[in-house]
Amino acid sequence: MKDTFKHKGMRQQLVDTVAKKGIKDEAVLKAIGKIPRHLFMDSGFIDHAYVDKAFPIGADQTISQPFTVAYQTELLNIKSGDKVLEIGTGSGYQCAVLIELGAKVYSIERQQELFKKTSKFLPKIGYRAKKLIFGDGYKGLPEEAPFDGIIVTAGAPFVPKPLLSQLAIGGRLVIPVGQDVQVMTLFIRKGPKDFEKHEYDKFRFVPLLEDKN
């Protein structure tokens, strides 16, 4: 569980790469530069940790590409103290970025193997979510709603209605929508029934699956 000067240097290069690709939010870049991404991967893959690409982490899931994490986080526009729901805890890397930005994070994971691993691992390296939940992300987390932000870290064939209904007024939902290729989509809740929709770049995510495994 070491984080060396070499790792820090590699992270700085990663920050430069992500910035060159268009990420401008200083707080997001700072979080990418601070979080030891290599600890989220098996130690044998240390060389891959600071390359800007996704990587398999087991249970048919991946640790997201740093650029994608930064992109989604920037769209969320987090302020310290915001209550954020994350659908798809995965390795916990995106969750750590949100916590680093001062969000109170509630995160749902449907793969039991990943859930067990990540819920032990995150506090160990100093990242404490408000709640880590083993469950079905399609349903959201009605008992903790409303949320200032909701982030979905898997490709959704459609936008789950419960997620829209659990947004606070002014809240933002960032979700990749589509089958094989997803369009990064932002919904901003303007009123009880009024949502503003923005579509951005195309991405490829692992699919968002219903029910837990």
Side-chain angles (χ1 to χ4, degrees):
M1 299 283 271
K2 285 200 182 81
D3 187 28
T4 63
F5 280 118
K6 184 187 173 190
H7 293 127
K8 290 183 174 84
M10 289 162 86
R11 272 206 295 287
Q12 217 30 67
Q13 288 174 331
L14 177 62
V15 169
D16 295 344
T17 302
V18 168
K20 279 195 186 97
K21 288 185 175 181
I23 302 299
K24 294 183 175 62
D25 188 318
E26 286 298 330
V28 173
L29 291 170
K30 199 173 159 193
I32 299 282
K34 186 174 175 190
I35 297 166
R37 188 172 183 256
H38 63 282
L39 300 183
F40 291 78
M41 299 163 74
D42 291 334
S43 56
F45 300 120
I46 221 90
D47 291 347
H48 296 276
Y50 297 112
V51 180
D52 187 31
K53 64 179 182 189
F55 203 77
I57 52 167
D60 290 330
Q61 303 298 304
T62 57
I63 179 170
S64 293
Q65 182 181 351
F67 171 70
T68 308
V69 169
Y71 191 103
Q72 284 194 284
T73 309
E74 188 170 68
L75 282 179
L76 265 185
N77 195 19
I78 289 171
K79 294 174 286 305
S80 186
D82 277 359
K83 195 171 175 184
V84 176
L85 175 63
E86 178 190 33
I87 308 298
T89 318
S91 68
Y93 181 67
Q94 172 73 72
C95 188
V97 170
L98 298 170
I99 293 168
E100 194 63 61
L101 291 172
K104 295 176 179 148
V105 184
Y106 297 76
S107 187
I108 302 178
E109 175 53 57
R110 62 174 290 282
Q111 300 279 1
Q112 189 142 32
E113 168 195 343
L114 280 179
F115 169 74
K116 282 182 174 159
K117 191 172 162 186
T118 303
S119 45
K120 280 199 191 86
F121 167 70
L122 275 176
K124 224 184 241 176
I125 59 163
Y127 290 103
R128 295 183 190 282
K130 279 287 179 197
K131 254 191 200 165
L132 294 172
I133 299 114
F134 172 56
D136 179 356
Y138 269 87
K139 297 187 176 87
L141 199 61
E143 64 271 27
E144 295 292 351
F147 295 96
D148 302 302
I150 299 178
I151 178 172
V152 178
T153 63
F158 58 89
V159 180
K161 288 222 163 54
L163 300 187
L164 288 169
S165 72
Q166 289 169 35
L167 273 184
I169 305 292
R172 300 162 84 91
L173 164 64
V174 176
I175 179 168
V177 184
Q179 296 283 0
D180 297 333
V181 175
Q182 293 84 32
V183 174
M184 194 64 76
T185 310
L186 166 68
F187 291 90
I188 303 171
R189 188 168 201 171
K190 294 296 192 181
K193 291 201 161 60
D194 188 21
F195 294 88
E196 194 178 282
K197 180 182 177 186
H198 302 264
E199 291 184 336
Y200 296 92
D201 297 305
K202 290 190 169 76
F203 288 84
R204 273 182 194 275
F205 279 78
V206 292
L208 176 67
L209 302 169
E210 271 187 275
D211 301 322
K212 44 194 191 202
N213 190 355

